[in-house]
Amino acid sequence: MHTGTRARLDRIGTDGNYLTVPMDHGVTLGPVAGLRDIESTIDAVTSGGADAVLTQKGIAERVHPNKNDAGYIVHLNGSTVIGPDENDKRQTATVEDAVRAGADAVSFHINVGSDHEPDQLTALSEVTSEAHRLGLPVLAMAYARGPGVDGHDPEALGHAVRLAEELGADLVKTAYSGDAESFAHVVGSTAKPVIIAGGSPEGDRATLAAVRGAMDAGGRGVSMGRSIFQHDDPGAMASAVSAIVHDDAAVDDALAHFD
């Protein structure tokens, strides 16, 4: 890994663990709660302990004044829930766009097992080559999604994270398999750090239990969007997740951050 890539990877984490809050959902879902006044949300989650925030390139000017020296990741593809196929992620920015937007890293989403996997596989490979040429780390969002694919199956998730490493990703985000024992298989499928997605909010305790399970399995953190930025208290939720990711807290101790 080049020195610049390593230095920038350190900017989006703390001591090798990562708490990233993706807020690119304005493309996917529209201006949902938590994203209308994205400036206040960014300030809250970074003040609460998020290492980095993630958006599409067009939001960059709203990010930098409010991120409290946290890292910044620009996401390079997307789709919408009202389009013909949400799994058909199309490229929305280049690595050079991300550099101009002041990014410390880039991210790219691939659905392993979907009809669009071949194009996304090629695109991720090209993104990692270009990003590393410029010294930027790549977060691959590698999901197991497609016809007949169980998106929480540890074998499928293990394939997805290994594919991401094989194509050059430095950090891999995927779905949580549901328990620490099965997620240990996912983590062990790659030498790269694995972090979990948040998915649809299921309540504070369930969310924090998933984070605890992922860390117990050898995971290195989270890239958690709606469970944090749509929370009634985004700063407190970020602080609770940070307690587990960075301070090895138990779930009950993390829940005390809401008191």
Side-chain angles (χ1 to χ4, degrees), residues 2-254:
H2 295 300
T3 302
T5 306
R6 167 55 62 189
R8 293 181 179 92
L9 192 60
D10 289 344
R11 293 177 195 169
I12 64 170
T14 301
D15 297 329
N17 286 348
Y18 303 88
L19 197 182
T20 297
V21 182
M23 288 181 273
D24 58 312
H25 301 66
V27 168
T28 311
L29 303 174
V32 295
L35 298 184
R36 289 181 180 272
D37 180 9
I38 198 170
E39 292 87 349
S40 295
T41 304
I42 290 168
D43 177 56
V45 301
T46 55
S47 296
D51 295 303
V53 295
L54 178 156
T55 74
Q56 293 278 348
K57 64 182 180 181
I59 303 296
E61 65 183 10
R62 302 175 68 180
V63 172
H64 290 293
N66 300 290
K67 65 183 181 66
N68 298 303
D69 294 324
Y72 180 43
I73 305 170
V74 168
H75 194 51
L76 302 185
N77 62 344
S79 62
T80 75
V81 294
I82 60 176
D85 187 348
E86 187 181 352
N87 285 333
D88 186 7
K89 302 289 184 180
R90 298 297 180 99
Q91 193 151 351
T92 54
T94 66
V95 176
E96 288 191 356
D97 289 334
V99 171
R100 284 192 291 270
D104 300 304
V106 295
S107 63
F108 195 88
H109 183 128
I110 181 169
N111 292 313
V112 179
S114 76
D115 293 338
H116 311 288
E117 177 197 292
D119 290 336
Q120 291 171 359
L121 186 152
T122 299
L124 175 59
S125 181
E126 292 172 349
V127 162
T128 58
S129 294
E130 179 65 7
H132 292 160
R133 185 179 71 81
L134 297 174
L136 264 69
V138 178
L139 163 61
M141 301 184 181
Y143 292 90
R145 290 179 180 171
V149 178
D150 178 354
H152 297 280
D153 173 58
E155 293 294 333
L157 294 174
H159 189 166
V161 300
R162 181 51 179 262
L163 180 152
E165 178 184 6
E166 297 272 350
L167 297 185
D170 303 290
L171 178 64
V172 189
K173 168 183 176 177
T174 197
Y176 184 52
S177 56
D179 60 80
E181 183 177 1
S182 64
F183 198 67
H185 171 80
V186 181
V187 172
S189 299
T190 175
K192 298 298 182 180
V194 177
I195 62 179
I196 64 166
S200 299
E202 296 181 355
D204 295 345
R205 179 173 289 277
T207 297
L208 295 173
V211 177
R212 182 68 267 170
M215 298 301 290
D216 289 342
R220 302 291 287 276
V222 305
S223 176
M224 185 173 287
R226 288 171 290 172
S227 293
I228 294 179
F229 75 71
Q230 288 195 318
H231 196 277
D232 290 341
D233 189 340
M237 189 59 176
S239 181
V241 175
S242 178
I244 298 175
V245 170
H246 294 310
D247 301 322
D248 199 29
V251 171
D252 285 340
D253 292 332

